[in-house]
Amino acid sequence: MAVVAVLVRRPLEQVGNVTLLPSPPLKIFYCGKIHRTEFTVLSCVTVREAINQGMDEELERDEKVFLLGEEVAQYDGAYKVSRGLWKKYGDKRIIDTPISEMGFAGIAVGAAMAGLRPICEFMTFNFSMQAIDQVINSAAKTYYMSGGLQSVPIVFRGPNGASAGVAAQHSQCFAAWYGHCPGLKVVSPWSSEDAKGLIKSAIRDNNPVVVLENELMYGVPFELPSEAQSKDFLIPIGKAKIERPGTHVTIVAHSRPVGHCLEAATVLSKEGIECEVINLRTIRPMDIETIEASVMKTNHLVTVEGGWPQFGVGAEICARIMEGPAFNFLDAPAVRVTGADVPMPYAKILEDNSVPQVKDIIFAIKKTLNI
Amino acid sequence: MKKMLTAAVSRVLSGVTQKPASRVLAASCKYSNNATFEIKKCDLYRLEEGPPVTTVLTREDGLRYYKMMQTVRRMELKADQLYKQKFIRGFCHLCDGQEACCVGLEAGINPTDHVITSYRAHGFSYTRGLAVRSILAELTGRRGGCAKGKGGSMHMYAKNFYGGNGIVGAQGPLGAGVALACKYKGNNEVCLTLYGDGAANQGQISEAYNMAALWHLPCVFICENNRYGMGTSVERAAANTDYYKRGNFIPGLRVDGMDILCVREATKFAADYCRSGKGPILMELLTYRYHGHSMSDPGISYRTREEIQSVRSKSDPIMLLKDKMVNNKLASVEELKEIDVEVRKEIDDAAQFAMTDPEPPLEELGHHIYSSNPPFDIRGANQWIKFQSIS
């Protein structure tokens, strides 16, 4: 069965008494292929289900793990990511909090200091700004300040970055803000495999880990290879993945833009340009070595991210490439594709042009290849 | 005869280890084993009953409290000295005057209970088990410091002691979180969550009150009210200065924070309340700091020298305990002077260590970024400078 290419908008999903926003039009389904090999059994799982599975498995594995946040329990999660968990684990382990980000983030950090392993959900990372002092000053810095005495095994997770039509205060990307801070680990999953493997690694990590999910990716299904179905499937934090090997240009992205890069790569492949698409997976500690090795092969670099350009993830990648062995292999300056340098506007035409689109990525690639 | 006995006692007591047998011998000669004291009734809020108004102080406990308070006092004064000699840099917030709080609180809980406080933390660092030398060496930024010189004055940690927190009020939710862990584990432990009269106005403290009450967390919120948040008196900072009532739906009590017995009894009462599963409780300790807010604040622009002197002469916590003990034959003036000498020596030795211990090795600059991590490299001031980071 061939890959089904769908250009229609998905219908509105009615879940309970909540209407979920439609995902944007999908050009390519990542599911639908059936592999018939002896050893590989594939299943189609959405990013939402993958995170749910990951949390469920870790809650089952270690009774010190618990989840707290707004609407995570009885509402099944504002975006239904924690669906079914409260029913299974009860009030003690899945805790609905009042609208008190600074308070409940601090409570989560304190619980982690005292030996539990909390997962603290921010309904979106925009609201984490209210609690950012607890994330940085109470969680990230503590192991260092205490000379190695006090660890903080906590996960902060939630949707990050642009959504659809939610306007300026609900669309900010925090990858650069959190990626800036020593003591934190910051991951940004794209696919279901990423989401499951990274949330499990984050929960098992003895350090504060920020998991930047993406609301528009929650409903996207992906194939989960059989290894990813194991309860001990982990993706190492700090390692990027080459999603698509190529020879002419290196494209580095994280989160939803990875999908756009793969689309751009498919289009360009027809013109004979083979892009190597790297899924960063981890913002901090960044796997610059994988990017360097790729650039030393392709001689061209384009970074793609949803966040603002100034002081962003792409800026950091470019700076590090300049400082390392890959600089001498560049045939053209590295190029960044980012969100527009504006607070996110509401009107659709404005919003669409404030985030990197496939055409913008293709344009940037052709520019750097001088085509 | 009395002189010989005193001499024998002091020879014994001047050794590093105490010899209880000799003390008991001495005690049976001239001291009572214990005495009963009346203590001030606490103001109560949403509570039918409060802590008892009488308590028994044993000689042993009294001597221990005296020594601990004197140690905190002298340690803080030594820190003042070291700061002026520029051995200590940056922020240094001293708690001399507030000794009855840290020692009294410790006396009311178990070592398995938990404590978290603000940046005025040296006293608690000591009462929670850190040695004076490791505290002073942390202040002077040496490798023998309790945080290996990485933390400084505001970031000292020990078992069941979560610092030392630099951000005003952040420790409120953190302490409620520790209490949540206690409830979660079902271990019957409580968390003392301290903050000052200034921090009481932080929004996150109210958020912590709400969740602690909602979830019945075994959290004793303690407002150490020393009348001034930096240079701002309580009247200029708070619309409601009855801090023990600020928990709204949380019962509270206001305690004389200069009387160690008051503090001890109130703490036991509050801890028992939490352990019984009734949820959080709020204690306001009325206390006073002799120093300014920190070493950069002389402390006399917003209060008068007369006020400071008045508190010193009428309500000094060490003096109050000493008078209680001497007047009730729990100890003699000479005996307490012996303890003073002992303490001074301990502090001087610790200060000597703090001044001479080497600074942490530069190679360790990058250590302790992550826990349980394989070693990796940290970038220094430029791309060629790298430090190894070991967990």
Side-chain angles (χ1 to χ4, degrees), chain A residues 121-169:
Chain A
E121 177 178 303
F122 291 118
M123 195 182 280
T124 76
F125 267 96
N126 299 286
F127 315 137
S128 75
M129 270 202 285
Q130 309 238 287
I132 201 162
D133 175 69
Q134 296 288 5
V135 178
I136 306 302
N137 280 321
S138 301
K141 298 179 185 173
T142 294
Y143 192 67
Y144 187 85
M145 291 192 301
S146 67
L149 287 179
Q150 179 67 69
S151 63
V152 187
I154 189 170
V155 173
F156 297 101
R157 53 159 289 274
N160 174 62
S163 177
V166 294
Q169 292 178 344

Side-chain angles (χ1 to χ4, degrees), chain A residues 63-66 68 92-93 95-111 113-116 133-134 137-138 140 142-151 181-185 205-208 284-285 322-324, chain B residues 114 116 138 146-148 150-152 155 157-158 161-162 165 167 169-178 180-185 202 204 207-208 210-212 214-215 217 364-373 376 379 383 390-391:
Chain A
E63 60 180 20
K64 296 193 291 297
V65 176
F66 71 100
L68 87 169
K92 178 180 171 180
R93 309 214 33 220
I95 303 175
D96 276 336
T97 65
I99 309 175
S100 310
E101 274 77 7
M102 199 167 188
F104 70 70
I107 282 179
V109 174
M113 287 181 178
L116 297 183
D133 175 69
Q134 296 288 5
N137 280 321
S138 301
T142 294
Y143 192 67
Y144 187 85
M145 291 192 301
S146 67
L149 287 179
Q150 179 67 69
S151 63
C181 300
L184 274 187
K185 295 190 181 180
D205 201 304
N206 286 335
N207 295 288
R284 184 174 186 113
M322 288 237 281
E323 292 175 348
Chain B
H114 308 263
I116 188 170
E138 186 60 35
C146 51
K148 303 189 175 72
K150 302 282 266 298
H155 309 296
Y157 296 80
F161 177 59
Y162 307 88
N165 286 275
I167 306 295
Q171 73 273 22
L174 291 177
V178 173
L180 186 144
C182 293
K183 181 169 181 184
Y184 191 102
K185 293 182 192 178
Q202 273 268 314
Q204 57 186 319
E207 294 186 11
N210 183 35
M211 285 181 271
L214 204 54
W215 301 331
L217 302 181
E364 290 182 13
L365 183 146
H367 287 2
H368 310 122
I369 291 288
Y370 294 134
S371 167
S372 329
N373 226 61
F376 64 103
R379 186 195 166 99
Q383 71 202 64
I390 297 188
S391 278

